[in-house]
Amino acid sequence: MRKLVRGAAVFGACALLGAMAIAQGELTGNDILDQMREKGVLFLQGGDLIFQARFDLVFADGTLGQNEFKIFISEGDEATGEPDRLLIYYLAPEDIAGTIFLSVIPPEGDARMWLYLPALGLVKELISESEQGQSFAGTALTYEQIGGAVDYSADYTATRLADSTVSVTVDGASSERPVYVLEISAKPGATVDYPKGKLWVDVEELTPVRSEFYDKTGRLEIVLEILRLETFEDNLVPTLLKACNQKDKTCTTIEVLEKERATLPAEIFTPAALPTFTPEAYR
Amino acid sequence: MGWIVDHPWWVIVLVGAITLLFAAFIPGIKTEQDFREYLPEDDPAVRALEQAEERYGAQIFSIIAFEADDTVFKASTLEKIKDLEDRIAEIPGVEEVQSPLTAQIITGTEAAITVGPAAPGGRVPESPEDLAAYRDRVMGSRQLRGMFVSEDGRAAAIMFKLDPRLSTVETEEIARKVEAMAREYEGPEKIYLAGGMFEALEAQRMMMRDLQVLLPIAIVMVAVVLYLSFRSLRGVVIPLLVVCLGVIWTVGAMAVAGIPFTVISIIIPVILLAMGTADGIHIVNRYYEVAARGRPKREVVVATMDEMTSPVVMTSLTTIAGFLSLLASFLVPQRQFGVFTAVGMGALLLLSLTLVPALLSLLRLPATKTKEQQLEQGLLARGLARLGSGVVRHRAWVLAIAVVLVAISLVGVPRLRLETELSQYIGEDSPIAQTMEVMDDRFGGAMQLAIEIDTGRRDGLKDPEVLAKIVALQEYLEEEPAISTTSSIADMVREMNQKFHGDDPAYYVIPEDGRLVSQLLFLFTFQGGSLGSMALGDFSAGEVFARVKGIDSTQEIEELMKRVQAYLDGNFNAHGIRAQEVGIAQVSISLLNRLVASQATSLGTSMVAVWAIVALLMRSLLAGLISLIPLVITVALNFGFMAYTSRPLDIATMMIGSIVIGVGIDYAIHFQSRFRLEYARARNPNPAQSIEQTMRTSGRGIVYNAVTVGLGFAVLVFSTLKGTAIFGSLIATAMGLSALAALTVIPALLATLRPQAVLRGEGGPKRSDQKKKDKEKRR
């Protein structure tokens, strides 16, 4: 279930915190995956977050869609047993505006999720049979595809290939970013959608600025790219991403519209509070 | 011709080299059984299907059914299903594999709602308790019961779709792979494979089996007929060698041109064998006749060929014209069949005019007493002569009977049953037909209608009014006896509404609030639910599906679709919502409708072409017309017989008309040519005497020819494909009828009409000759 939070916060999880100073020694592929994981953890320890994002969707049939929402994230504490919390408040499209998704993830045990439908004024607990393969927040992408980037070291081993560069817009200007190129393979017994992949990991930010995932037959299926990085709290964070499924030709472009630190009370992350939740109260 | 006779080995070596060249290409020939490929790409139904595939993905699904003696809810059976499903899912090109374990199911309680695979995690339940809970879950699901598991729980189905962009070859490869995999799991459960790609695979197997069995039978049959005709080795070997080489050239040419074997073109080799011997028969026959004159070998061969080149070319051209008239057909395989049978006839003509004289020039001359002399006085010749004189005496009766028979036939023609279903062509005894029966009994049919509902506006399908219309459509469809189940986005909305309200059945309705509809659908997709082709991403359009059972003819489907379309017009199209059937059934219907137009066009074209050729060659419009009359009678009788005996007009039987015209015209040409000759030779021209002599000579040739061709076609009766067997029996009968019509109606017409009107052309007495005769009489 932790993948859910990580997935929802992909843009933040990838780089909302600045990179730690990384020793530039001869890192192996697995070392780099470990460092990426550590950086993700550091980000979640940085305090509560609110960000507003827009998803532009291209469906397999060529039609378009758009979702806009605010995400409220509160990092838990394993020592005290405080759970991770995530709340997604939908702003658009109009017919689902006001819908709220809540997830509470204890350090041990299964996560619990609820959905509030404003048209009925009812909250229902969602019971998920399997995290994998589920679309993320109504997009054509799965949690695994979006959020899996955070903890590759758990499921994959990596082989480092020759370093390269990738073009990314940084604070409005085009920049050639040095990257580690990693070929990743699922560990035996790992429950992943994609047995193989390739990551172009920004050397400085330890963020995969380009990721490719291959299906069981070795065909390229998902391409995830970071198109824009912007400075936030003295660090570069991704604010524009594009993920495309090469098989069914679906694409999701994710743009971070606003991002801010906040102090979020634990009470808002309860099912009972959902019918009265107003995002404006936490600006 | 002299050069050929002087250099026979050059000809033989050259023919051998060409044959080897074509033979080398034969292993590369492909097969094609997808009826959609039979229609031109610009056909509206094909375009609609392709557009639907672009928007919604594959429109055709395949099913693998497991049938157990007791229940499929056993770990052993479910393990097999799961294993096979996983293996199929890994095949590149396979999309959307679902089974009773992985098909999505929605469950709801007062507090919670779940959308997920029917078996938790899509895995086989292990404990008896879990297994029992799983069975209850599946059998309690509107979406799964009757669709993935039969009502009695004894059968389960894996369903999958293929990427519609796959080529026929790729599809065939997947079909083979899946079939081989599925067979590994057979026993004690029975396994059935249903769907277009498996039908095509079975058809292909039957076609190849036919080719392996029918071709040798045809060769033996033709050899027997040739032996009975000539009672000599050369009389058998030479015509047979010519047709075998012609078949190799033709099939090799098809492979070179990338033309596949279809259920139609697979019969080209048999047809060439049946018809191609005619030239050889006539040439060898004349060779014996000329040899009896006691001339040297070279002169015998040259004289034979000089005398035979013209009639052989003439009859071959008319036959080629008959087959080329199939180019007017809209059906791609018929056009291919027409062109390559014509190519084959051309090859046979070429071989008859080159290889036959080359071979004859290498052989010793036969004994001087020829079969010709024996046969001219034989029983058959005498019988035909009597028939000829009888026809002349009772010509009015003959013509009247012909008219009555044609009239009776034409009355029946509207009852002709049209058919385009591949399963019907394959036949009821095939494994595919048995599978269809199981599908009908257990899963409400393997055929699916897909109706596109296009509101033309974003989120149109979320409108409660539109959803209510869709519910009404489903209710209407389910009242049709042939429709077992339906599914649509409206089902999902109702299901979600019920589950969201603590699984209260009272909430299995479309909510009145459009926002609630949107939010329920959002919840559904948020939970990982897939609407598939039930809705486009922007909810502007989607498909409603209906499972069809118990219908096995295209005409029944067409009638059903007409009723459905009338409903759609009245309840959707009239209200600004575009609704139409877009699936494969529409392609079948389009094929059906165009069959009729195509039949008329190809018949008309072949008749005009043949009439023009005969009129030109005989320089008489009337002679051309007389040649056509027995053919028209034969075609009418054939269709009448088909109508009264419920033989379907399908892509094979609809070619009978054109073939009858192409082949049958030879009889008319031979008869009229000989009649002209006999009439011109006579000192006191008398139609009755000329007809009697014509019957004795050419009549015999016509009978031989008809018997050879008819028997050659009759071989097709042994085809494993029901459609080909029917075609074989009909065309063999038609060949006999055509000969009978030529030997009765033409003499009756010639005796009735003034012969001078017919005889003005080539081979007949000139007007000046007649004047000379008149003058002589006056003197």
Side-chain angles (χ1 to χ4, degrees):
Chain A
M1 192 62 242
R2 281 178 180 270
K3 282 177 186 167
L4 183 60
V5 170
R6 291 170 184 146
V10 60
F11 15 85
C14 290
L16 269 177
L17 287 180
M20 293 290 291
I22 305 291
Q24 295 296 308
E26 271 309 302
L27 294 170
T28 65
N30 289 334
D31 292 339
I32 296 166
L33 291 189
D34 287 341
Q35 290 188 354
M36 288 164 67
R37 176 175 48 83
E38 283 166 18
K39 187 176 175 189
V41 172
L42 285 171
F43 146 67
L44 290 171
Q45 288 170 352
D48 297 343
L49 275 171
I50 303 175
F51 52 90
Q52 187 169 329
R54 187 176 63 219
F55 279 24
D56 287 294
L57 312 163
V58 180
F59 297 107
D61 48 62
T63 57
L64 306 175
Q66 197 176 70
N67 285 337
E68 198 170 319
F69 42 79
K70 274 199 164 185
I71 300 180
F72 300 78
I73 298 175
S74 171
E75 172 68 358
D77 184 346
E78 279 192 36
T80 62
E82 194 70 16
D84 292 342
R85 299 179 178 94
L86 168 79
L87 187 149
I88 302 175
Y89 184 93
Y90 281 82
L91 300 167
E94 197 190 339
D95 54 4
I96 59 162
T99 301
I100 306 171
F101 171 75
L102 170 66
S103 178
V104 177
I105 310 117
E108 299 293 332
D110 292 335
R112 296 186 69 185
M113 298 176 292
W114 293 266
L115 195 78
Y116 167 70
L117 295 190
L120 275 179
L122 284 176
V123 177
K124 282 280 170 179
E125 181 164 7
L126 305 179
I127 298 173
S128 175
E129 294 286 0
S130 161
E131 283 177 23
Q132 283 191 352
Q134 288 188 22
S135 72
F136 168 75
T139 72
L141 292 169
T142 64
Y143 299 124
E144 176 77 2
Q145 289 158 8
I146 291 184
V150 177
D151 192 10
Y152 288 112
S153 64
D155 296 325
Y156 292 93
T157 57
T159 306
R160 187 172 167 185
L161 306 177
D163 293 352
S164 180
T165 58
V166 169
S167 182
V168 182
T169 301
V170 180
D171 288 331
S174 181
S175 169
E176 286 298 315
R177 306 284 298 178
V179 290
Y180 301 122
V181 183
L182 307 180
E183 204 169 65
I184 56 169
S185 301
K187 289 178 178 172
T191 321
V192 291
D193 282 342
Y194 303 100
K196 286 200 180 299
K198 207 169 170 185
L199 306 176
W200 285 256
V201 182
D202 188 285
V203 170
E204 209 176 310
E205 302 298 323
L206 283 175
T207 300
V209 287
R210 180 182 169 88
S211 314
E212 290 179 355
F213 298 96
Y214 296 82
D215 69 12
K216 288 170 186 167
T217 63
R219 278 204 302 176
L220 177 62
E221 185 163 335
I222 300 292
V223 176
L224 180 64
E225 296 168 285
I226 289 175
L227 304 173
R228 189 173 73 204
L229 289 164
E230 287 178 352
T231 304
F232 177 65
E233 294 178 341
D234 299 328
N235 294 296
L236 287 176
V237 298
T239 55
L240 185 63
L241 299 94
K242 188 175 183 184
C244 289
N245 184 317
Q246 305 297 309
K247 271 189 186 169
D248 64 14
K249 305 294 174 200
T250 54
C251 269
T252 304
T253 304
I254 305 163
E255 185 169 16
V256 178
L257 304 171
E258 291 173 15
K259 46 195 178 295
E260 58 186 316
R261 290 283 178 196
T263 303
L264 301 171
E267 299 78 52
I268 67 167
F269 295 101
T270 58
L274 297 184
T276 55
F277 179 82
T278 48
E280 295 78 18
Y282 304 97
R283 290 191 67 91
Chain B
M1 191 50 64
W3 186 89
I4 292 174
V5 176
D6 294 337
H7 304 87
W9 285 108
W10 279 98
V11 175
I12 291 167
V13 168
L14 188 64
V15 167
I18 295 171
T19 306
L20 285 176
L21 186 70
F22 279 122
F25 287 101
I26 290 177
I29 196 161
K30 295 183 171 56
T31 55
E32 175 63 72
Q33 299 81 37
D34 184 352
F35 269 29
R36 191 190 347 178
E37 300 290 331
Y38 290 7
L39 284 167
E41 284 172 9
D42 61 351
D43 182 87
V46 172
R47 271 214 307 264
L49 178 63
E50 282 172 357
Q51 278 169 5
E53 283 175 342
E54 270 172 35
R55 295 184 96 181
Y56 304 103
Q59 298 293 297
I60 304 160
F61 65 94
S62 299
I63 301 176
I64 299 172
F66 283 70
E67 189 180 38
D69 291 336
D70 41 10
T71 174
V72 292
F73 292 103
K74 303 180 288 210
S76 59
T77 304
L78 293 173
E79 288 288 359
K80 286 182 181 178
I81 292 171
K82 175 67 184 156
D83 201 36
L84 180 57
E85 181 187 10
D86 288 347
R87 290 174 68 190
I88 292 172
E90 283 181 12
I91 299 173
V94 171
E95 292 180 347
E96 279 191 47
V97 191
Q98 286 189 313
S99 75
L101 295 157
T102 53
Q104 67 190 7
I105 203 165
I106 307 166
T107 48
T109 63
E110 281 298 331
I113 193 160
T114 313
V115 179
R123 288 183 289 274
V124 177
E126 287 174 3
S127 69
E129 296 76 26
D130 288 348
L131 208 53
Y134 165 69
R135 185 186 54 228
D136 293 347
R137 210 173 172 192
V138 170
M139 298 310 278
S141 163
R142 289 188 188 93
Q143 275 78 40
L144 269 66
R145 195 187 59 241
M147 188 79 89
F148 285 94
V149 176
S150 61
E151 295 283 348
D152 60 5
R154 283 182 53 208
I158 297 174
M159 292 189 205
F160 63 97
K161 290 179 175 180
L162 298 187
D163 182 341
R165 292 162 297 185
L166 290 177
S167 69
T168 312
V169 176
E170 289 169 320
T171 304
E172 186 191 312
E173 203 178 301
I174 293 175
R176 285 184 193 285
K177 207 177 274 185
V178 171
E179 189 191 50
M181 283 179 183
R183 294 293 168 219
E184 290 173 29
Y185 300 93
E186 201 142 35
E189 298 88 355
K190 287 181 192 145
I191 291 181
Y192 300 92
L193 298 108
M197 66 181 203
F198 297 118
E199 282 180 18
L201 196 62
E202 187 60 31
Q204 189 198 53
R205 283 204 192 101
M206 293 169 92
M207 277 159 51
M208 298 320 286
R209 217 177 301 151
D210 272 5
L211 203 58
Q212 286 163 8
V213 174
L214 300 186
L215 209 53
I217 295 177
I219 290 171
V220 170
M221 199 168 272
V222 169
V224 168
V225 173
L226 288 171
Y227 182 75
L228 291 175
S229 302
F230 297 109
R231 296 184 193 278
S232 74
L233 192 61
R234 73 184 72 188
V236 174
V237 172
I238 292 176
L240 204 55
L241 181 67
V242 165
V243 286
C244 287
L245 295 182
V247 168
I248 292 171
W249 287 22
T250 309
V251 178
M254 285 174 70
V256 171
I259 302 298
F261 266 142
T262 61
V263 288
I264 301 300
S265 59
I266 197 82
I267 57 184
I268 289 178
V270 176
I271 285 184
L272 290 180
L273 269 171
M275 291 166 38
T277 45
D279 290 345
I281 289 172
H282 287 298
I283 293 171
V284 173
N285 197 37
R286 186 56 61 92
Y287 166 75
Y288 279 123
E289 199 178 328
V290 177
R293 295 173 197 162
R295 289 151 75 174
K297 186 165 78 176
R298 187 180 185 284
E299 275 184 41
V300 168
V301 178
V302 171
T304 300
M305 295 313 294
D306 282 350
E307 288 176 27
M308 290 310 297
T309 299
S310 176
V312 164
V313 169
M314 201 193 292
T315 52
S316 294
L317 283 183
T318 49
T319 307
I320 288 170
F323 281 110
L324 284 181
S325 72
L326 288 170
L327 277 173
S329 165
F330 75 96
L331 283 169
V332 176
Q334 285 192 348
R335 294 207 294 256
Q336 292 170 347
F337 171 82
V339 168
F340 280 91
T341 311
V343 165
M345 294 308 295
L348 291 172
L349 173 63
L350 189 65
L351 287 165
S352 298
L353 297 181
T354 54
L355 185 64
V356 172
L359 290 172
L360 288 176
S361 68
L362 290 174
L363 298 171
R364 280 185 305 175
L365 282 176
T368 49
K369 188 170 169 62
T370 65
K371 311 291 177 216
E372 178 66 24
Q373 287 164 328
Q374 295 168 0
L375 295 171
E376 205 165 308
Q377 303 306 321
L379 190 65
L380 178 63
R382 290 203 306 274
L384 285 168
R386 270 202 291 274
L387 174 67
S389 54
V391 164
V392 171
R393 272 201 309 279
H394 304 293
R395 54 188 176 272
W397 274 106
V398 169
L399 294 175
I401 289 168
V403 168
V404 170
L405 286 175
V406 168
I408 292 170
S409 298
L410 291 179
V411 167
V413 166
R415 293 164 56 172
L416 258 179
R417 186 164 68 84
L418 303 171
E419 191 51 72
T420 59
E421 280 297 306
L422 180 59
S423 55
Q424 282 291 298
Y425 196 90
I426 291 174
E428 297 91 355
D429 301 329
S430 72
I432 288 296
Q434 290 161 11
T435 300
M436 297 291 270
E437 232 170 76
V438 172
M439 293 299 148
D440 281 358
D441 291 348
R442 305 280 186 204
F443 299 104
M447 190 190 289
Q448 181 171 269
L449 297 183
I451 296 163
E452 183 185 33
I453 308 290
D454 189 348
T455 65
R457 60 189 164 95
R458 171 176 282 276
D459 294 332
L461 287 184
K462 293 177 181 171
D463 183 340
E465 276 186 31
V466 174
L467 288 169
K469 279 183 184 294
I470 292 174
V471 170
L473 167 64
Q474 288 180 255
E475 285 167 359
Y476 167 80
L477 290 172
E478 285 169 11
E479 280 173 16
E480 283 283 346
I483 290 179
S484 54
T485 55
T486 60
S487 58
S488 76
I489 186 175
D491 294 342
M492 288 300 151
V493 172
R494 288 187 289 179
E495 189 82 1
M496 286 299 289
N497 197 28
Q498 177 180 331
K499 302 299 176 187
F500 206 84
H501 287 89
D503 209 10
D504 182 349
Y507 285 90
Y508 190 72
V509 291
I510 301 295
E512 288 175 7
D513 181 356
R515 286 177 70 238
L516 178 55
V517 171
S518 297
Q519 288 167 24
L520 287 170
L521 286 169
F522 174 74
L523 166 61
F524 177 68
T525 51
F526 195 94
Q527 280 280 76
S530 169
L531 289 167
S533 47
M534 287 179 187
L536 294 182
D538 65 357
F539 290 92
S540 60
E543 289 185 317
V544 176
F545 299 103
R547 281 276 187 95
V548 180
K549 67 172 181 178
I551 283 189
D552 51 12
S553 85
T554 320
Q555 268 184 310
E556 285 176 90
I557 297 170
E558 189 187 25
E559 283 158 18
L560 170 66
M561 284 313 303
K562 273 184 186 163
R563 291 194 293 276
V564 172
Q565 194 56 51
Y567 181 90
L568 296 175
D569 289 342
N571 294 279
F572 288 86
N573 292 315
H575 299 88
I577 301 169
R578 197 166 58 84
Q580 60 170 349
E581 211 282 328
V582 291
I584 193 76
Q586 204 61 46
V587 174
S588 282
I589 292 166
S590 180
L591 202 56
L592 182 85
N593 290 330
R594 295 186 74 165
L595 273 180
V596 182
S598 181
Q599 176 69 79
T601 313
S602 60
L603 267 182
T605 313
S606 53
M607 282 193 184
V608 170
V610 163
W611 170 76
I613 290 172
V614 176
L616 197 70
L617 292 172
M618 293 196 170
R619 294 181 196 164
S620 164
L621 296 178
L622 188 60
L625 202 60
I626 288 176
S627 301
L628 273 188
I629 289 173
L631 303 179
V632 172
I633 292 169
T634 308
V635 171
L637 292 182
N638 171 65
F639 285 142
F641 177 75
M642 286 172 68
Y644 289 117
T645 57
S646 295
R647 301 285 196 282
L649 184 64
D650 56 31
I651 54 174
T653 53
M654 72 173 287
M655 298 191 306
I656 290 174
S658 295
I659 296 174
V660 162
I661 291 168
V663 179
I665 194 70
D666 292 0
Y667 308 151
I669 291 173
H670 283 301
F671 194 96
Q672 288 202 81
S673 298
R674 189 70 186 218
F675 173 77
R676 287 173 161 209
L677 196 68
E678 296 296 339
Y679 195 81
R681 274 181 188 168
R683 185 162 296 185
N684 295 308
N686 177 321
Q689 280 174 358
S690 301
I691 285 168
E692 197 177 314
Q693 190 53 28
T694 302
M695 292 288 276
R696 197 183 286 277
T697 52
S698 284
R700 212 181 63 242
I702 289 169
V703 171
Y704 284 154
N705 199 336
V707 169
T708 314
V709 174
L711 284 176
F713 278 122
V715 167
L716 296 173
V717 171
F718 301 111
S719 170
T720 46
L721 292 160
K722 183 185 163 194
T724 306
I726 291 175
F727 169 77
S729 64
L730 288 172
I731 192 93
T733 311
M735 286 298 114
L737 273 177
S738 179
L740 185 64
L743 295 175
T744 52
V745 176
I746 292 183
L749 284 168
L750 289 173
T752 306
L753 298 167
R754 286 171 56 224
Q756 284 76 8
V758 183
L759 302 176
R760 274 179 203 140
E762 194 177 88
K766 305 280 186 294
R767 198 185 291 265
S768 53
D769 297 342
Q770 191 61 43
K771 279 180 186 170
K772 273 182 202 167
K773 281 184 184 174
D774 292 347
K775 270 185 191 174
E776 280 170 13
K777 275 184 187 173
R778 280 199 293 272
R779 278 178 203 155

